[in-house]
Amino acid sequence: MDTPIPDPVKQPDRPKLLQVMGPGLITGASDDDPSGIATYSQIGAKFGYGLAWTMLLSYPLMVAIQEISARIGRITGYGIAGNLRRHYPAWLSSGIVGLLLVANIINLGADLGAMGAALKLLIDGPALLYVCLFGLLSVTLEIFTRYARYVSVLKWLCLSLFSYVICAFVVRVPWDQVAWAVIRPPLSFKPDYIVAIVAVMGTTISPYLFFWQAEQEVEDEKERPWASELTRAPWQARAEFARIRIDTYIGMAISNIIAFFIIITTATTLHAHGHTDIQTSAQAAEALRAVAGRFTFIVFSAGILGTGMLTLPVLAGSAAYAVGELLSWRVGLARRPGQAKAFYAVILVATVVGVGLNFTAIDPVKALYWSAVLNGVVAVPVMAVMMHLSMRKAIMSTFTLPPVLRILGWIATFVMAATVAAMAVTWVA
């Protein structure tokens, strides 16, 4: 006797916008982490408005690849790493997860260092102690806070991003020059210009974002009693794809708008006054104090702390999800610590190693720019595998990618590959 199909009418009423916003919003907001702030500050300080156009280029590509990530999680009930383990050779899945783990730990160390330096600028005191406290606070919240409440906290932390919009309107921005630079950008084939583009693309389109959004779709599906992976509940697809699309479009738009304002603010202030050698987000904040005043400095520095607290769990969590799914562990922030000991152990170890990098001769804060470049390099094979995976009916059932998403996804992959190749050519030449 056939199993009756559940009545879709029994699903909850159409959710409000704030309820729709979730994985995409948090993913997009976490993209503007202290590492990203440093990269965008460096771009604005060094090139002025000359690379602001990259935010427009990266937006549709970023939206496409993040929507694909979300679809993979929602359709299959597994994250990126889980699907790699189930459907691809072990060497490929292990290699990708290994690269992701290295990049995430470097980013963790860099972000923690930037947060410690920013708090020292605000209230003075020992930066390394602040690094330890931020690491401890992040791990404690991830492990011991109930998932639904924790997601709510992360959503509220997204508001910290708007500090950079405030900064842009405090300083006097010549918007006509900005518009002209976006419409007719001063393109160049110089090595530093190419590397800067790779760094921007590696910051806006980062592997940890793919893994995080896919896994959060899996988590959210488990948290909703009526929901199931779409391979088992295809009647839910239309509403779920609409929710994912709205969530992702708005989340990535916020991410790129904030990045745009950071570039514009630092270009208007630092570049215009000859401060072109900015290595960290904290240096950018300190330089802004002299050029743009104390208020802009405080708002910029506070934004580093807020975005850092938003991004630390995303970096550590995406690493734990990837390692856990690769090794077939129980994973999930919705699980209690005793139910997923190994998963939470990875979060703890990754954060501790990130903290530890700040106590070594290796300066993770100065490695911010190059961690963005590394993300750009790692993203290429991850995106290629994701595109192949999302077109296989054996994995995605009847929900393989629609033509527009397929085209944009492959364009994003080829753009990333082309920028990385161009960077390699400039280094060899």
Side-chain angles (χ1 to χ4, degrees):
M1 186 175 181
D2 294 336
T3 303
I5 296 176
D7 186 355
V9 176
K10 294 180 181 179
Q11 295 180 19
D13 294 334
R14 185 181 300 238
K16 297 179 181 179
L17 181 61
L18 189 59
Q19 295 173 319
V20 169
M21 300 304 294
L25 173 65
I26 295 171
T27 302
S30 67
D31 194 26
D32 294 320
D33 65 327
S35 299
I37 293 168
T39 300
Y40 301 135
S41 298
Q42 291 167 4
I43 297 300
K46 187 169 185 177
F47 298 99
Y49 309 125
L51 281 170
W53 61 271
T54 56
M55 293 299 103
L56 297 182
L57 170 67
S58 64
Y59 175 69
L61 309 182
M62 187 181 182
V63 164
I65 206 67
Q66 290 302 144
E67 184 177 345
I68 292 168
S69 303
R71 280 173 170 254
I72 290 172
R74 187 66 184 85
I75 291 168
T76 67
Y78 291 90
I80 306 294
N83 278 292
L84 289 175
R85 174 182 56 79
R86 297 172 71 222
H87 303 291
Y88 291 88
W91 65 266
L92 179 62
S93 54
S94 299
I96 287 177
V97 170
L99 289 172
L100 175 78
L101 190 60
V102 171
N104 280 20
I105 289 175
I106 291 175
N107 269 6
L108 271 168
D111 285 351
L112 284 162
M115 293 167 69
L119 188 56
K120 181 179 180 179
L121 289 176
L122 287 172
I123 63 174
D124 205 3
L128 290 177
L129 174 60
Y130 298 149
V131 167
C132 296
L133 292 177
F134 282 129
L136 177 62
L137 177 60
S138 177
V139 168
T140 301
L141 288 173
E142 269 189 284
I143 296 177
F144 297 108
T145 305
R146 189 167 60 87
Y147 177 73
R149 183 177 296 276
Y150 190 52
V151 169
S152 178
V153 170
L154 293 180
K155 286 183 182 180
W156 281 109
L157 282 172
C158 294
L159 294 175
S160 63
L161 292 173
F162 290 96
S163 60
Y164 298 107
V165 178
I166 295 172
C167 288
F169 284 100
V170 169
V171 301
R172 295 183 178 179
V173 177
W175 291 108
D176 56 335
Q177 295 181 29
V178 174
W180 190 251
V182 171
I183 296 171
R184 294 190 61 182
L187 301 177
S188 170
F189 291 99
K190 293 182 179 179
D192 58 346
Y193 192 87
I194 299 297
V195 171
I197 294 175
V198 176
V200 169
M201 298 300 289
T203 300
T204 55
I205 303 177
S206 299
Y208 75 88
L209 302 176
F210 315 156
F211 284 79
W212 174 263
Q213 188 161 354
E215 287 288 359
Q216 288 305 288
E217 285 295 333
V218 177
E219 290 268 27
D220 279 6
E221 176 253 305
K222 292 177 181 177
E223 284 289 291
R224 291 177 289 170
W226 58 268
S228 179
E229 57 265 33
L230 299 183
T231 52
R232 295 185 180 181
W235 57 88
Q236 297 177 4
R238 184 174 181 179
E240 288 300 290
F241 289 159
R243 175 190 59 79
I244 287 171
R245 194 170 299 115
I246 293 170
D247 186 21
T248 304
Y249 283 20
I250 295 177
M252 301 311 124
I254 291 173
S255 172
N256 277 31
I257 288 170
I258 299 304
F260 181 82
F261 275 111
I262 294 172
I263 292 174
I264 297 308
T265 298
T266 51
T268 302
T269 54
L270 305 184
H271 181 79
H273 289 81
H275 296 273
T276 59
D277 187 19
I278 298 297
Q279 298 299 318
T280 71
S281 52
Q283 284 183 13
E286 180 66 22
L288 281 171
R289 173 155 51 185
V291 173
R294 182 170 176 77
F295 177 76
T296 304
F297 154 73
I298 291 174
V299 172
F300 195 94
S301 300
I304 295 172
L305 303 181
T307 59
M309 286 305 301
L310 173 66
T311 305
L312 294 180
V314 176
L315 286 165
S318 60
Y321 279 124
V323 173
E325 282 203 327
L326 179 68
L327 300 177
S328 300
W329 295 342
R330 289 184 177 181
V331 301
L333 293 171
R335 295 182 185 273
R336 295 179 179 178
Q339 297 174 324
K341 294 178 182 178
F343 169 77
Y344 285 110
V346 174
I347 290 176
L348 176 61
V349 171
T351 306
V352 168
V353 174
V355 170
L357 288 176
N358 289 274
F359 289 84
T360 66
I362 302 171
D363 188 345
V365 179
K366 290 185 178 180
L368 288 173
Y369 191 82
W370 294 105
S371 70
V373 175
L374 175 62
N375 273 325
V377 174
V378 174
V380 176
V382 177
M383 292 167 70
V385 172
M386 283 173 53
M387 291 305 301
H388 181 262
L389 183 159
S390 58
M391 291 308 301
R392 291 178 59 181
K393 287 188 177 182
I395 302 173
M396 304 289 281
S397 185
T398 59
F399 302 113
T400 53
L401 297 181
V404 173
L405 206 52
R406 187 188 319 163
I407 291 170
L408 283 174
W410 278 117
I411 290 175
T413 305
F414 287 133
V415 167
M416 289 297 295
T419 54
V420 171
M423 178 186 67
V425 169
T426 59
W427 284 351
V428 173

